Amino acid sequence: MTIGKFIIYILLSVALLPSPACTKKDAGWQPTDSIGKINKWVYDSMAMYYYWSADMPPHPDYSLPTEQFFKQLLSPNDRFSWISNRTTIGATKTAAETYGFYYSFTIHPFDQQKLIGVITSVIPGSNANNRGLKRGMLFSAVNDRPITVDNKKATKEALQAAAATLQLAAFNTDRSALVDSARIGVQSAIVPQKSVYATHVFENNGKKTGYLAYYLCAEKDDAVMLQSIQKLQQQGVTEFILDLRYNPGGSVASATKLAALLTSNFNAGNKFITYRGNKHGGTVVQTFQQAISFSSNAAGKSMSDLQAWNLNLSRVYILTSAETASAAELLTHNLEPYTNVVRIGEITLGKDEASFPIEDQRNPRQVAWVIMPIVYKIADANGKGDYATGLTPHHAVVETSKLPLAPIGKPGDLPVDKAFMLIYGTTAVSVTVL
């Protein structure tokens, strides 16, 4: 998964699944028109791979436009499957995918009938970054429309369009009012990938805590992630804060590499992931080594290589938000059988599911569409999963409850402060930036 799309899915190898076979519910029937042929390919593909294939309608309307046809096959429990014609139709994008910034809504400090937008993270090199947006900035309107509870959904949709205009706002000198300032336009553009945002060491009374802001499970950055862990190990950290607040997921292999570095029970043969599919996919269990073997990056691809960098932690503090999803949730959830995980922050997105793209493999290709259906439900080594409603924090902290926002990963950043209190009993720590 690339940060340029921020598509929330977990990419699995097709090798995990059996070869396609005839699964047509309308046995013997073959369409003759072009739309019918496309839709039949869609149906047969979904019948083979889709997690909820047993719930698909047995006799769908093959005359419907393909996007509409696909939607009638989906389970009411499905929030993430999508289909693309490679041009205008595809997955719905977030503001992070489109412009390069994350945001949250909170009650307007001086008008309970309104909301205020808070920019929580900006991706370096993105259009939002280039337009001058920064963490902690506030906006009171989108496309000149003030944000309210009633139009919250419409505002989110406006921030998924090809372009949008933010009305920035700021506290006045004595913080007695929030006043509008500049209007900033943002546009859809390629959003560059970046996994490691910060590596710090916090210290109080000789006790050292490592901190890693890891905001994408991207295989291309595995070496950078491993170097960060190695630096923290060399500093002699005995506690660890893993910040996944703005991590939308990505590579399972990368997430597994990081999990292996944090566990107190390091063993290549330990089970890490359980995938549950439909009657064709069955159940697939992967060990740590099996999961990382799918990586395209040689860095840390062997558990024997990772062992030297293992931090051997008895507990890990993981910071989460509603943006924490997919492989980041898997890392958080599946690490629990091997070390004590303390979650701090907000409920995660709740994508306990895995997908991979399905394309027409015939030569020449007869169907141009690409399907990204949910194929598996994810569980841990013990078969425990079912977190579609999100992972609930052990310590609930809403970082936007105190404005202005502090820099990410520094004292004053509320979820980080909570971790400090749990580790040290105080927020008075020294900070070393690595």
Side-chain angles (χ1 to χ4, degrees), residues 183-244:
R183 294 173 75 252
I184 299 292
V186 288
Q187 294 182 334
S188 177
I190 294 175
V191 181
Q193 298 188 30
K194 184 176 173 65
S195 295
V196 176
Y197 275 60
T199 308
H200 300 160
V201 174
F202 304 118
E203 186 173 358
N204 176 281
N205 198 27
K207 186 175 186 178
K208 294 183 178 181
T209 298
Y211 169 86
L212 179 68
Y214 186 62
Y215 289 165
L216 184 70
C217 304
E219 292 178 12
K220 76 174 188 65
D221 292 336
D222 283 355
V224 178
M225 179 267 289
L226 295 174
Q227 288 166 7
S228 292
I229 295 297
Q230 187 176 27
K231 290 177 183 178
L232 293 172
Q233 184 192 59
Q234 292 169 347
Q235 290 290 319
V237 302
T238 56
E239 301 280 3
F240 191 80
I241 302 170
L242 177 59
D243 191 345
L244 300 178

Side-chain angles (χ1 to χ4, degrees), residues 1-2 6-14 16 80 82 217 219 247-256 272-275 286 291 294 325-332 334 350-357 372-379 387:
M1 181 174 71
T2 63
F6 275 103
I7 301 170
I8 303 175
Y9 75 86
I10 300 177
L11 184 61
L12 297 179
S13 171
V14 178
L16 293 177
F80 301 108
W82 54 266
C217 304
E219 292 178 12
N247 190 320
S251 167
V252 170
S254 295
T256 306
F272 186 58
I273 311 169
T274 302
Y275 296 106
Q286 288 184 343
F294 286 99
S326 197
E329 289 178 289
L330 181 151
L331 193 167
T332 303
N334 288 21
K351 188 174 187 297
D352 59 340
E353 300 159 355
S355 305
F356 64 74
M372 185 69 75
I374 296 303
V375 177
Y376 282 116
K377 280 284 193 174
I378 297 171
Y387 50 91

